[in-house]
Amino acid sequence: MFEFDFMRHAFAGAAVVSVLAGTVGWFLMLRRQAFAAHALSHIGFSGAAGAVWLGFPPLSGMVVFSLMAGFVIGAEREGERGIPAQRDSTIGLVLAASLGLGAWFLHMSNRGSSLATTLLFGDVLGIDVPTLEALCAVAVLCLGLLAFLGRRLLFASLAPEVARARGVPARLVSVVFMAVAALACAACAEVAGALLAFSLMIGPAATALKLGLGPLAGIAVSVGLALALSWGGLMLSWVTDAPVPFWIGLGAALSYALADLWRRFRSP
């Protein structure tokens, strides 16, 4: 399979996205923001549809729309105990508005059914060199920001009240992190599509947290599982002709179930 350029590009793109998804996803799950990841990937779909209508690459639209939504979600004022009072309501309203825009963009572009299928379920085998370069740039930016924010983000996630008392700018950290998550969701949509980018972002991270691992080990396991899911999905798709997102979603659910069983058998 590696004799074809499109397969080499697909494996390279999946590797870049997996490292990003595993790292960002771990922090999303730690902060209990799984719904935000789900919403951001769907919002990216609307941005991609708008970009196609205007004649731009879909990834650029995903990035712009996801970033805008990430800033809105991250900038929400905090309620008691550092938890945004209306987080889910805000996310739901932004998601609903963006999906309406996405439907309108598809209508205006006159490429409804085929374009919607590609954007919703991904086209990892269609990754070309410019897209791969863009994914690498997004990953470097996101991982650099996470490295800079890492200690503050971990502190604000585990003990928000103590972090604020120690002078950690929790709201700024939240805004920057949601911007990073938005970029990561846009990148994941290139591999798994807008509908199932959530599985690559959240499945490995949820499994790592279920195992009760520390931060470094948890992030490493999350990245390793994301890589196994994306590469394994590509290989199984080559053999069975089933779509890559199907294998990624199935593998994510199975890995979490196995982790849950392992914890149950280990517990006294």
Side-chain angles (χ1 to χ4, degrees):
M1 70 177 74
F2 293 105
E3 62 190 69
F4 300 103
D5 285 341
F6 71 89
M7 287 301 295
R8 290 196 293 270
H9 294 161
F11 272 88
V16 172
V17 168
S18 297
V19 173
L20 184 57
T23 306
V24 176
W26 188 86
F27 281 103
L28 279 170
M29 289 302 299
L30 183 68
R31 294 169 63 84
R32 299 180 181 179
Q33 291 181 321
F35 182 43
H38 174 75
L40 287 172
S41 60
H42 286 65
I43 292 167
F45 154 77
S46 301
V52 171
W53 174 47
L54 295 174
F56 294 102
L59 182 58
S60 63
M62 285 185 180
V63 168
V64 171
F65 262 55
S66 297
L67 269 178
M68 291 171 58
F71 284 129
V72 171
I73 295 169
E76 187 178 13
R77 292 187 179 276
E78 294 182 346
E80 297 181 359
R81 306 186 64 171
I83 301 174
Q86 299 293 328
R87 175 189 290 163
D88 287 349
S89 298
T90 299
I91 295 172
L93 289 172
V94 172
L95 175 60
S98 68
L99 289 178
L101 279 175
W104 185 70
F105 290 147
L106 286 176
H107 171 73
M108 295 300 295
S109 67
N110 294 319
R111 296 174 56 189
S113 59
S114 60
L115 177 62
T117 300
T118 300
L119 295 179
L120 289 173
F121 298 102
D123 186 20
V124 63
L125 299 181
I127 292 178
D128 54 13
V129 174
T131 302
L132 186 57
E133 291 174 347
L135 289 176
C136 289
V138 169
V140 169
L141 175 61
C142 290
L143 294 176
L145 287 172
L146 280 181
F148 178 74
L149 286 176
R151 293 174 64 86
R152 298 181 185 88
L153 179 60
L154 186 62
F155 193 12
S157 301
L158 293 174
E161 293 180 342
V162 178
R164 286 199 305 277
R166 293 290 183 88
V168 175
R171 192 175 181 189
L172 177 61
V173 169
S174 176
V175 170
V176 175
F177 174 67
M178 287 310 301
V180 170
L183 290 172
C185 287
C188 287
E190 283 291 310
V191 173
L195 285 180
L196 294 177
F198 175 75
S199 60
L200 188 59
M201 180 80 72
I202 298 302
T207 301
L209 286 174
K210 191 69 175 180
L211 293 173
L213 302 173
L216 291 179
I219 292 173
V221 169
S222 180
V223 169
L225 282 173
L227 189 59
L229 289 176
S230 59
W231 280 4
L234 281 167
M235 294 177 185
L236 289 170
S237 178
W238 178 269
V239 174
T240 64
D241 202 33
V244 175
F246 164 75
W247 293 114
I248 291 177
L250 184 63
L254 182 60
S255 63
Y256 183 83
L258 291 174
D260 183 60
L261 287 175
W262 185 78
R263 284 292 301 270
R264 290 175 183 270
F265 282 121
R266 280 202 63 195
S267 60

